[in-house]
Amino acid sequence: MSKLAIRTVLFSMLGNAVLAGIKFLAGIFGNSYALIADGIESTVDVFSSLLVLLGLKYSARPADENHPYGHGKAEPLITFLVVAFLIISAFTIAWQAIQNIRTPHTLPSSWTLIVLGAIILWKEISYQLVMNRAKKIMSSSLKAEAWHHRSDAITSIAAFLGISVAIFGGEGFEVADDYAALVACGFILYNCYGIFRPALGEVMDENNYEELTLKIREISLQVKGIEGTEKCFIRKAGMKYHVDLHATVKGDLTVKEGHSISHNLKDRLRKELKELGHVLIHIEPA
């Protein structure tokens, strides 16, 4: 799973590096600050992807004496850094856009719309690809990486609309390009919250995995000797979910029999749910 995640991040880094160069050149020669702002975001995305890559590699390290539950918590911490990079880029773009609004400048070139159209299509494809892989391996940092692509597509759409207004409006509408950059900043900041909130929940060990809890309870009832389940606490670390489960058995069983049933239940859960890490079974008399 970690290899798939690393390949996905490398794909993002390469794509963002190429697009940053295209946006900067198109923005400079096409007189569009919205495109230059887009290029700034893509450049920041390259560095944030590097952070995600380092975080994935560190979080994939096996458990040791000091970290019996592994190093998975590094992943949401890296996500916080990615969000910080996005916020910094948004405010940088907004500040420069405001400066440009105050300064008269020439209209953008019409051919920049073709460049932006291709960029929007590519970024949306990249978003779908990375998000599908993020869901497959349950990685919060990869979801953040996917939202980088979506926010980049949004800023490109804003730039497309701004340049269109500037071109078709003619003289006096030059600042539409810069206002588009400001609108894009608002979308970026909104996406930052969407990335930050799940990562915060992961660090705080929020128990909000209803679908996984239901699967655990259903599988548990299929194990011979299990009468039912009570408490089920789940916390996520990296790409693994650690589970504390209270299961009920007949009250007249011996300690040895109850111990054997708990091991059978643990083995069954880890066999059918590959995303599980540590599983602690507490046996209760029915």
Side-chain angles (χ1 to χ4, degrees):
M1 290 297 186
S2 60
K3 289 182 179 179
L4 177 62
I6 289 170
R7 287 199 302 269
T8 303
V9 176
L10 290 174
F11 161 80
S12 292
M13 287 179 66
L14 179 61
N16 285 328
V18 172
L19 285 180
I22 293 173
K23 290 174 182 178
F24 276 124
L25 291 173
I28 292 169
F29 291 105
N31 300 313
S32 169
Y33 178 68
L35 257 175
I36 294 174
D38 225 358
I40 292 172
E41 187 190 0
S42 291
T43 303
V44 172
D45 285 351
V46 173
F47 290 103
S48 64
S49 294
L50 181 60
L51 284 175
V52 172
L53 183 63
L54 294 174
L56 286 170
K57 287 192 172 184
Y58 186 84
S59 64
R61 292 172 64 179
D64 55 34
E65 187 176 347
N66 293 328
H67 305 87
Y69 289 93
H71 299 77
K73 290 294 184 183
E75 193 185 3
L77 296 179
I78 291 296
T79 302
F80 294 157
L81 290 176
V82 172
V83 170
F85 265 93
L86 273 174
I87 292 173
I88 291 170
S89 66
F91 279 103
T92 301
I93 293 168
W95 180 84
Q96 189 60 52
I98 292 170
Q99 300 305 310
N100 285 358
I101 289 171
R102 295 173 177 176
T103 306
H105 52 281
T106 57
L107 286 167
S109 300
S110 58
W111 57 264
T112 56
L113 293 176
I114 299 173
V115 175
L116 276 167
I119 289 171
I120 292 167
L121 179 61
W122 174 250
K123 295 306 287 188
E124 183 59 26
I125 292 172
S126 298
Y127 166 79
Q128 296 294 340
L129 175 65
V130 177
M131 183 57 78
N132 286 337
R133 292 184 179 180
K135 290 178 179 178
K136 182 178 179 180
I137 62 179
M138 293 159 293
S139 169
S140 62
S141 60
L142 266 192
K143 286 183 180 179
E145 186 70 16
W147 272 105
H148 268 290
H149 291 296
R150 173 57 65 83
S151 67
D152 212 359
I154 290 170
T155 55
S156 295
I157 290 172
F160 188 94
L161 294 175
I163 292 172
S164 297
V165 170
I167 291 172
F168 293 107
E171 188 176 347
F173 286 86
E174 297 91 346
V175 293
D177 179 45
D178 303 303
Y179 280 113
L182 285 176
V183 172
C185 290
F187 279 108
I188 293 171
L189 292 174
Y190 175 78
N191 287 334
C192 283
Y193 176 77
I195 298 168
F196 173 80
R197 186 60 187 85
L200 178 63
E202 195 171 319
V203 169
M204 297 298 292
D205 288 333
E206 287 185 357
N207 186 27
N208 57 356
Y209 307 104
E210 292 82 5
E211 186 177 344
L212 182 57
T213 299
L214 183 61
K215 288 181 181 178
I216 289 171
R217 295 190 188 280
E218 290 176 349
I219 294 170
S220 298
L221 293 176
Q222 298 171 14
V223 176
K224 185 178 180 182
I226 298 296
E227 300 289 315
T229 57
E230 294 181 352
K231 297 174 184 176
C232 182
F233 300 141
I234 302 174
R235 55 194 176 94
K236 187 172 182 287
M239 301 177 199
K240 292 292 183 180
Y241 295 85
H242 303 309
V243 179
D244 294 340
L245 177 66
H246 288 221
T248 57
V249 299
K250 291 181 179 178
D252 57 355
L253 295 179
T254 65
V255 173
K256 185 177 181 180
E257 289 171 330
H259 180 74
S260 177
I261 291 172
S262 72
H263 268 284
N264 290 340
L265 174 55
K266 177 180 177 180
D267 293 341
R268 179 73 175 272
L269 288 172
R270 296 194 67 179
K271 179 181 178 181
E272 296 199 20
L273 300 172
K274 303 297 184 184
E275 64 267 32
L276 298 188
H278 283 266
V279 178
L280 178 64
I281 307 296
H282 179 80
I283 294 296
E284 298 271 9

